[in-house]
Amino acid sequence: MTLPILPTTVVGSYSMPGWLERLKTEYYARRISRRDLDEIHDTAVKAAIKDQEVAGLDIITDGELRRDNMIDYFAERLPGVQIDHASKKFHYDFYDSKVLGKLPMAPLGLVDDYKFLRVNTERETKFCVTGPHSLSKRIRNEHYPTEEEFAMDLARVMNPELKAIANAGAHFIQIDEPNYSGFPEDLAWGVKALNALVEGVDAKIGVHICYGNRYGKPSWEGSYRYLLPGILDAKVHQLTLEFARRGGEDLEVFRELPARFELGVGVIDVKTQAIETPDQVAERIRKALGVIPADRLFVLPDCGCLHLPRDVAFAKLSAMVEGTRLVRKEL
Amino acid sequence: MILQLNHLQRKPAANTTQEVVDVLYSLLEEGRIEQEQFARLHVQLDWIQYRQNFRECVMAIMATSDRPEQFPPLDVHVDTRQVTPGCLREAILRTLPNTGDSPHSDPEGVLLEDFRSFRESIAWGFNRLYWHRLADWEQFTGRGYEQALPGGKSDANHPSAVADCVADFWTLLRDLENRKQLPEELFVMEIGVGMGTRSGLWLERFRSLDRERGTNYYPRLKFLLGDYSLATLERSRPAVKEHLDLCSFVVLDALNPLKNLAFLRHKILHIHLTNVYDNLPDEEFERRDGRFYAVQVRAHIPAADAQRISKELEIPAQQIPQTVNRLLEGGPDYLSDRRRGVAFWQEVWKAMRLEERLVSLDDLPDVAIPGDFRASQLEEVLGEAPSDVRFHLSSGALESFHNTLPLLHPRGFLQVQDIFVTNFNEYRLGFHGPGKLDGSIVNWVNGVLLREVGERAGYDVHFAPFHYRKGSKTSILYTTQRE
């Protein structure tokens, strides 16, 4: 992976266009076909990739525009998860999904998503997957004795898929675990499940932990203090956290972060449409540099840009790139 | 012709129906209504109004003519409570020419504005003046505004309702504490504080519950009293005098509390409003024969009232519009003698009527809807509504709601006591405003649209009848976090 110092990227999702939301809902109303929707998704993903490139990001994702939300896209692919297809009215709603028996092994079909991303950009890429803790908190468990056992089995089923993605060329895979912040008491087994998920996956692994971004608002509040020391057991290379909205206070928590970890620092508040200036971004990066050296620092928004209008998301990312350039010149 | 009979004032409506039909047939035969127009005519009985309102007892509302080859739709609404026997023909005839693009049919009357959305109407200028100069109004009427409410007092201050709200809040704090997520500062906000009575009751109740349960949350409270009138905030202080150390008085625009309080984004644990949404600028739309129309209004003073006001207050009738504008800019002192100024204000307000017309919308997406609410969503919502329906957009309430939700802590909740339409079918069952409540405007709020905006913002919105007072038309909107 050849990257400049202070690499810039998104957390995962890019702005979901209103027209795409509407078309997804049309699909659920059986007014457009699956084939049409797939084509629409392809087009939307290409546009999202292009926007990220034009904004100047170093690492590109597919914008997660094929996904209704961070749970259902995986729940639908996980064999053994039963879904009540009548349970959602709007695409972003969660399905009522549940497991009634042990999850069987089967491919999830995520490799094709990665390949699509790979062929549509020359830049470095990142592929994002919701982690087993977050999935276990939303998919109703009616089989496993504990949530932990359910999460561990999710990890078992998903691990081969991650290996396949890495084998297809992915250098960088990010696991999204926002629910850690809502359930700090689960951290120990959440990390255990995370480790099982990434076991033997030959790629840089990041884990994104925020305070939620459902409907563009936080789901919890608190302090990242809960992450330490438990998160240090995670077999990952990078922690990606939100700092822009929450201020820099939490940054101090990571001053002693062991050198084996990189820190992805959120410098863009995705829960407001106010567009940061490059100077604001630069100041946030400088503050982070007081805690973590430049060669271990990645620059990102706090979380996905899903809920931002496209023009706002683009402007924020452009400001992020410009602010990063300002700091790079100082290094 | 479609005749819609509402089951509101059964006997008067039944007695009037035949007369209305006879009058309309005779107008058809006399050529005053065209055959094609008659075929598309909608007549609504009973279009009952607030006792004090802006409308005549019979209103004919025609659309502006956007398709010259067609007669525009015509609606006739009859408030049977106000109809006197034998007056219908005259009333319908009087309003029929007063529609569409035609000039004002009451040439002796005084126009106060051109046709526009209700939201932009001068009526809201009077509403603003009322809240800013409430003391002047009350002094000259001799009664407080709460006395003007149905039942003579506000549902906001019902002790059991306040106690339940406090209990919910305490439970939330306890839950957060159990999860080790209780913030150091516990922000609570009341928007639209009135005399501060509810805030005082709430704080008192919370303090006793906190003491009783030994949780020591009370000292951590930061209670914000928000209102757009400094005068109102001043009047609310005595009601919370026992708790002043915890209280902050914030002048804010109910349409956008976030503007002043952005620093509290995601921090307020509980926000409460009573009868604020029903007093925020609004506009109405109509879906008729598959097309959408905006309802535009034009404020005027009927001729007889204009002459009376002119005579009593010695202001030439033609100078009434100019005097009204000065009154709204500078308050009642403008008329040199405050007593005379208030008298003019009250008389004009009492006499003010709104003519209405329908303006065809080429396309629903042209409608600007607050709250990131897209026209396509409105279309979806209307998919479950009656095919022909006139409804509030409640744009002020939507705007306020949309700009208040981001202040809520992720686990916080919003409660709104107000008069809500919670189902589009209710528009067929009864009248929902606007009316005059003393010197202010009262208007039902479209809860269906609020529910949609809430869902898209991450909150499920529920409505519960206000069961604390029998016969109350108030409902309580409350939010829960949407997963």
Side-chain angles (χ1 to χ4, degrees):
Chain A
M1 206 187 279
T2 310
L3 290 168
I5 193 94
L6 306 177
T8 54
T9 183
V10 289
V11 165
S13 67
Y14 189 58
S15 167
M16 175 73 72
W19 55 263
L20 183 54
E21 282 191 344
R22 196 170 178 188
L23 289 167
K24 281 174 186 273
T25 305
E26 293 280 289
Y27 168 73
Y28 288 113
R30 303 281 185 271
R31 287 194 282 264
I32 63 170
S33 68
R34 180 75 234 181
R35 186 188 170 86
D36 283 345
L37 184 65
D38 287 343
E39 261 189 47
I40 290 162
H41 278 151
D42 286 352
T43 308
V45 167
K46 284 180 188 171
I49 290 170
K50 190 70 185 169
D51 261 14
Q52 292 173 73
E53 290 178 345
V54 174
L57 297 183
D58 302 308
I59 305 170
I60 308 295
T61 72
D62 68 356
E64 300 181 4
L65 296 183
R66 298 176 200 279
R67 306 180 187 184
D68 286 2
N69 54 58
M70 64 177 296
I71 302 295
D72 289 351
Y73 194 68
F74 299 93
E76 281 186 305
R77 283 162 174 73
L78 282 162
V81 174
Q82 294 197 6
I83 289 179
D84 176 2
H85 284 277
S87 57
K88 76 169 157 188
K89 145 182 142 180
F90 176 53
H91 76 93
Y92 189 61
D93 294 338
F94 287 131
Y95 277 128
D96 181 9
S97 53
K98 59 187 173 189
V99 280
L100 297 170
K102 186 170 173 61
L103 294 171
M105 297 290 287
L108 307 186
L110 299 175
V111 180
D112 289 342
D113 288 358
Y114 170 70
K115 287 179 178 169
F116 188 86
L117 167 64
R118 181 67 280 163
V119 300
N120 280 290
T121 181
E122 297 291 313
R123 299 200 188 173
E124 286 294 343
T125 61
K126 178 169 74 171
F127 193 78
C128 306
V129 174
T130 303
H133 178 264
S134 295
L135 290 171
S136 71
K137 285 292 175 188
R138 185 64 220 179
I139 300 169
R140 199 146 36 93
N141 168 27
E142 296 187 4
H143 170 71
Y144 296 92
T146 63
E147 282 182 313
E148 178 180 345
E149 285 169 81
F150 178 32
M152 290 302 290
D153 218 30
L154 283 165
R156 177 184 64 85
V157 174
M158 294 172 72
N159 171 268
E161 191 73 15
L162 263 62
K163 285 178 177 163
I165 293 168
N167 289 340
H171 297 146
F172 189 2
I173 297 174
Q174 177 183 291
I175 313 302
D176 296 328
E177 286 288 24
N179 279 3
Y180 284 177
S181 297
F183 306 90
E185 64 277 13
D186 295 351
L187 186 64
W189 65 258
V191 168
K192 203 169 133 195
L194 171 65
N195 288 343
L197 173 70
V198 302
E199 178 69 35
V201 177
D202 185 18
K204 177 203 280 277
I205 303 293
V207 58
H208 169 64
I209 305 161
C210 61
Y211 278 83
N213 190 26
R214 189 99 179 114
Y215 298 97
K217 69 183 184 64
S219 301
W220 311 282
E221 285 293 6
S223 160
Y224 277 136
R225 279 191 294 272
Y226 83 90
L227 281 175
L228 295 176
I231 199 67
L232 303 182
D233 292 333
K235 292 175 184 163
V236 301
H237 307 93
Q238 186 178 103
L239 306 181
T240 296
L241 308 171
E242 66 166 301
F243 293 113
R245 180 183 69 87
R246 300 166 50 75
E249 201 180 309
D250 266 2
L251 257 176
E252 286 301 318
V253 175
F254 300 95
R255 188 172 280 283
E256 305 302 328
L257 190 68
R260 69 174 184 278
F261 289 103
E262 295 168 345
L263 191 62
V265 177
V267 296
I268 295 289
D269 183 353
V270 294
K271 294 181 178 72
T272 158
Q273 294 192 18
I275 295 162
E276 288 84 352
T277 63
D279 283 339
Q280 277 177 302
V281 171
E283 197 47 44
R284 288 171 183 169
I285 297 172
R286 287 185 200 110
K287 198 177 261 182
L289 285 170
V291 171
I292 193 127
D295 60 350
R296 288 166 53 209
L297 197 157
F298 280 54
V299 179
L300 305 94
D302 273 354
C303 195
C305 298
L306 172 74
H307 300 288
L308 294 170
R310 197 207 68 88
D311 56 332
V312 174
F314 183 79
K316 278 177 173 269
L317 293 181
S318 302
M320 184 177 86
V321 168
E322 192 50 42
T324 306
R325 282 184 188 140
L326 292 175
V327 181
R328 279 178 188 153
K329 285 182 197 161
E330 298 166 7
L331 296 175
Chain B
M1 178 176 82
I2 294 173
L3 182 65
Q4 181 184 327
L5 300 175
N6 294 334
H7 187 262
L8 288 171
Q9 303 276 311
R10 189 175 60 168
K11 201 160 180 193
N15 293 344
T16 313
T17 305
Q18 189 57 53
E19 191 181 347
V20 170
V21 172
D22 287 346
V23 167
L24 290 167
Y25 269 125
S26 65
L27 293 175
L28 175 68
E29 282 161 11
E30 291 162 21
R32 291 174 189 260
I33 301 177
E34 297 293 332
Q35 183 77 43
E36 190 191 326
Q37 205 167 24
F38 186 83
R40 300 178 69 194
L41 184 60
H42 279 200
V43 182
Q44 190 180 14
L45 300 167
D46 183 2
W47 211 45
I48 194 167
Q49 309 282 321
Y50 281 100
R51 258 177 218 289
Q52 304 297 325
N53 66 79
F54 299 96
R55 289 161 174 160
E56 304 293 352
C57 64
V58 174
M59 285 187 78
I61 304 168
M62 190 157 23
T64 51
S65 179
D66 61 333
R67 290 183 182 178
E69 73 282 7
Q70 277 190 359
F71 283 101
L74 174 64
D75 295 348
V76 173
H77 302 282
V78 183
D79 178 359
T80 53
R81 192 171 54 179
Q82 297 184 54
V83 168
T84 51
C87 79
L88 265 172
R89 181 182 166 84
E90 194 193 330
I92 292 175
L93 269 177
R94 192 171 59 242
T95 60
L96 266 183
N98 183 25
T99 50
D101 298 315
S102 59
H104 188 49
S105 66
D106 181 9
E108 303 300 316
V110 173
L111 283 178
L112 298 178
E113 63 190 358
D114 295 327
F115 274 113
R116 63 195 57 200
S117 154
F118 180 47
R119 186 175 173 137
E120 306 299 327
S121 170
I122 200 168
W124 293 101
F126 280 88
N127 186 70
R128 268 191 299 278
L129 181 65
Y130 177 76
W131 293 114
H132 282 297
R133 304 297 295 263
L134 182 59
D136 293 332
W137 180 282
E138 288 177 341
Q139 187 184 343
F140 288 93
T141 56
R143 64 173 190 170
Y145 82 93
E146 285 200 3
Q147 292 169 276
L149 295 167
K153 57 184 178 184
S154 170
D155 282 341
N157 307 331
H158 196 290
S160 303
V162 172
D164 283 350
C165 179
V166 166
D168 287 346
F169 182 68
W170 186 90
T171 306
L172 169 69
L173 299 187
R174 183 53 129 186
D175 186 45
L176 285 170
E177 187 172 37
N178 289 341
R179 303 184 68 82
K180 299 186 173 51
Q181 293 176 350
L182 189 66
E184 199 49 45
E185 297 177 307
L186 310 175
F187 286 100
V188 176
M189 179 159 68
E190 179 81 34
I191 299 177
V193 295
M195 297 295 288
T197 313
R198 186 183 186 280
S199 299
L201 286 170
W202 194 97
L203 282 160
E204 205 54 44
R205 176 68 192 165
F206 184 78
R207 182 167 63 180
S208 9
L209 187 68
D210 186 45
R211 280 180 183 163
E212 187 185 308
R213 298 186 178 173
T215 38
N216 210 26
Y217 297 143
Y218 173 80
R220 293 163 70 176
L221 272 188
K222 303 279 177 199
F223 196 98
L224 308 175
L225 292 94
D227 203 284
Y228 83 144
S229 158
L230 188 59
T232 304
L233 285 173
E234 280 301 317
R235 285 161 54 124
S236 71
R237 287 179 73 89
V240 294
K241 62 178 188 298
E242 296 286 317
H243 313 275
L244 282 174
D245 287 352
L246 310 177
C247 293
S248 299
F249 299 82
V250 189
V251 175
L252 55 80
D253 179 0
L255 291 173
N256 190 1
L258 195 55
K259 194 164 57 184
N260 294 40
L261 300 174
F263 65 100
L264 290 177
R265 184 188 286 270
H266 308 312
K267 286 196 169 57
I268 305 183
L269 286 158
H270 171 50
I271 301 174
H272 190 275
L273 303 94
T274 305
N275 297 127
V276 172
Y277 287 2
D278 65 8
N279 188 235
L280 292 177
D282 188 18
E283 54 212 301
E284 290 183 66
F285 286 84
E286 181 165 321
R287 181 168 67 185
R288 174 82 139 78
D289 300 336
R291 301 197 70 194
F292 282 94
Y293 298 88
V295 179
Q296 289 193 339
V297 303
R298 178 164 68 177
H300 72 282
I301 311 292
D305 291 307
Q307 283 159 19
R308 180 178 51 76
I309 292 168
S310 171
K311 191 174 166 192
E312 284 174 11
L313 294 159
E314 296 172 345
I315 297 169
Q318 67 273 21
Q319 282 185 22
I320 287 179
Q322 183 190 343
T323 313
V324 164
N325 288 335
R326 297 283 166 81
L327 167 77
L328 296 180
E329 283 166 12
D333 293 333
Y334 162 71
L335 279 89
S336 65
D337 166 8
R338 185 177 296 181
R339 174 171 289 278
R340 184 165 165 257
V342 176
F344 175 74
W345 171 14
Q346 294 186 336
E347 286 301 324
V348 169
W349 178 246
K350 194 164 76 180
M352 192 163 79
R353 291 282 177 272
L354 296 174
E355 292 171 68
E356 295 180 0
R357 71 175 182 183
L358 302 176
V359 177
S360 172
L361 297 168
D362 288 337
D363 200 3
L364 193 58
D366 290 345
V367 180
I369 310 172
D372 287 347
F373 194 75
R374 297 184 174 125
S376 58
Q377 289 171 251
L378 179 57
E379 276 181 284
E380 279 171 35
V381 174
L382 286 168
E384 292 173 15
S387 53
D388 288 334
V389 62
R390 177 171 163 159
F391 59 95
H392 297 101
L393 190 63
S394 295
S395 52
L398 287 178
E399 199 174 327
S400 175
F401 188 60
H402 175 71
N403 290 322
T404 303
L405 289 175
L407 290 169
L408 280 179
H409 181 278
R411 299 287 311 282
F413 63 103
L414 172 73
Q415 276 192 358
V416 185
Q417 283 177 220
D418 224 312
I419 42 176
F420 293 105
V421 177
T422 57
N423 180 319
F424 272 98
N425 276 312
E426 289 176 35
Y427 282 113
R428 289 175 137 178
L429 302 176
F431 169 70
H432 296 97
K436 297 175 187 172
L437 186 63
D438 220 9
S440 68
I441 296 173
V442 59
N443 212 358
W444 286 65
V445 182
N446 192 330
V448 186
L449 300 184
L450 286 174
R451 192 186 286 130
E452 280 295 308
V453 167
E455 284 181 4
R456 301 301 165 100
Y459 293 93
D460 284 318
V461 173
H462 315 269
F463 296 93
F466 187 81
H467 59 84
Y468 305 94
R469 182 172 67 83
K470 203 175 172 187
S472 171
K473 293 194 180 341
T474 299
S475 302
I476 304 177
L477 172 160
Y478 60 99
T479 60
T480 53
Q481 197 173 9
R482 187 172 170 81
E483 294 299 332

